[in-house]
Amino acid sequence: MIGIFTTTIVFVAFECGSPSRFTERPVALDQGGRGFARWCEIQDAAGAPIRHGPFESYTLKGVLVERGLYQDGLESGRWEGFHSNGKVSWRGERFNGEDVGQWQLFHPNGRLRSEGQMLEGRREGVWLESNARGAELRELSYLRGQLEGPSTYFYPGGVVQRQGTYRDGEPPRFLEVVSFRRLATNGGWLQARASARHLVVVRRIGGHLAGL
């Protein structure tokens, strides 16, 4: 069955394979406000309608908000969300209603904001985060959705700013990497020399250099 959005906004034809049925109606959008959605649906074993196939939602002005696929009433397959300017806001895979696999989030200008793995709807493993100019900001480790393991923060130029390790969800005591012009107490001078992403960090105690 093919359906066309029944508003003054013209949309591309939306196709539902047999025996699916095309449905459209006003909805509350996840980011707030009202909009419209259209999807395909079938009947479950009890005869109740469930979503099955393509799904799309729009603002009242016709701006695409998100799109993806349903399988037997659950979000499964490729999903994407969009900024108000039409650029992709996020994209990734879902299985049985949960985020899984590689996910990416984007700034409104289209540059990558963060990316990493999702497992059962939660962040897992290393996630990278960047600013709107494309400079890497953070490299964070997750376990079942919580910060766990090594975390590194960068200056905009890519040089390490501080490092530490989260354990059992507790924030670390970060090692601060400072410039030659700044001091750290702890019994002496703390100095860092940066070359690309590699650092030489030493401390000066009693006029002598000592490793950390």
Side-chain angles (χ1 to χ4, degrees):
M1 177 181 295
I2 297 178
I4 303 294
F5 229 52
T6 55
T7 69
T8 56
I9 304 166
V10 178
F11 291 94
V12 177
F14 194 89
E15 185 172 356
C16 297
S18 178
S20 299
R21 180 181 64 184
F22 175 80
T23 301
E24 61 182 25
R25 66 186 59 167
V27 295
L29 301 175
D30 290 341
Q31 70 271 38
R34 302 290 297 178
F36 290 90
R38 54 183 185 167
W39 63 86
C40 302
E41 63 181 35
I42 59 176
Q43 291 184 335
D44 64 12
I50 57 174
R51 294 175 182 177
H52 185 85
F55 172 92
E56 293 178 349
S57 63
Y58 295 83
T59 68
L60 294 176
K61 294 183 178 180
V63 177
L64 181 61
V65 175
E66 67 176 349
R67 65 184 174 197
L69 297 170
Y70 276 84
Q71 180 75 28
D72 296 326
L74 296 174
E75 298 168 344
S76 292
R78 187 72 163 177
W79 279 80
E80 290 181 310
F82 298 86
H83 291 290
S84 59
N85 62 4
K87 293 184 180 293
V88 175
S89 173
W90 52 264
R91 67 160 63 106
E93 297 286 329
R94 287 175 176 160
F95 180 72
N96 287 343
E98 293 184 333
D99 300 344
V100 297
Q102 184 75 9
W103 271 73
Q104 295 178 312
L105 290 79
F106 299 88
H107 292 283
N109 65 1
R111 289 187 179 274
L112 186 66
R113 181 160 67 96
S114 62
E115 65 177 340
Q117 293 288 319
M118 297 291 289
L119 181 63
E120 297 179 346
R122 296 178 292 189
R123 291 190 175 193
E124 187 76 14
V126 176
W127 275 71
L128 305 178
E129 300 184 1
S130 304
N131 63 23
R133 296 184 299 276
E136 188 174 352
L137 296 178
R138 289 173 286 274
E139 198 172 283
L140 306 175
S141 299
Y142 288 86
L143 179 65
R144 294 187 292 274
Q146 286 191 333
L147 287 168
E148 183 73 18
S151 294
T152 303
Y153 293 75
F154 300 94
Y155 289 108
V159 175
V160 174
Q161 180 188 36
R162 57 190 175 125
Q163 295 174 310
T165 300
Y166 285 83
R167 300 190 187 280
D168 298 323
E170 294 296 323
R173 298 176 64 86
F174 282 102
L175 166 65
E176 297 284 346
V177 180
V178 299
S179 70
F180 286 113
R181 296 186 302 273
R182 296 181 61 186
L183 303 178
T185 54
N186 285 341
W189 302 83
L190 180 66
Q191 299 180 332
R193 175 166 55 83
S195 174
R197 292 284 296 278
H198 302 286
L199 293 163
V200 177
V201 182
V202 296
R203 59 180 175 176
R204 186 181 300 275
I205 301 177
H208 301 282
L209 296 179
L212 288 176

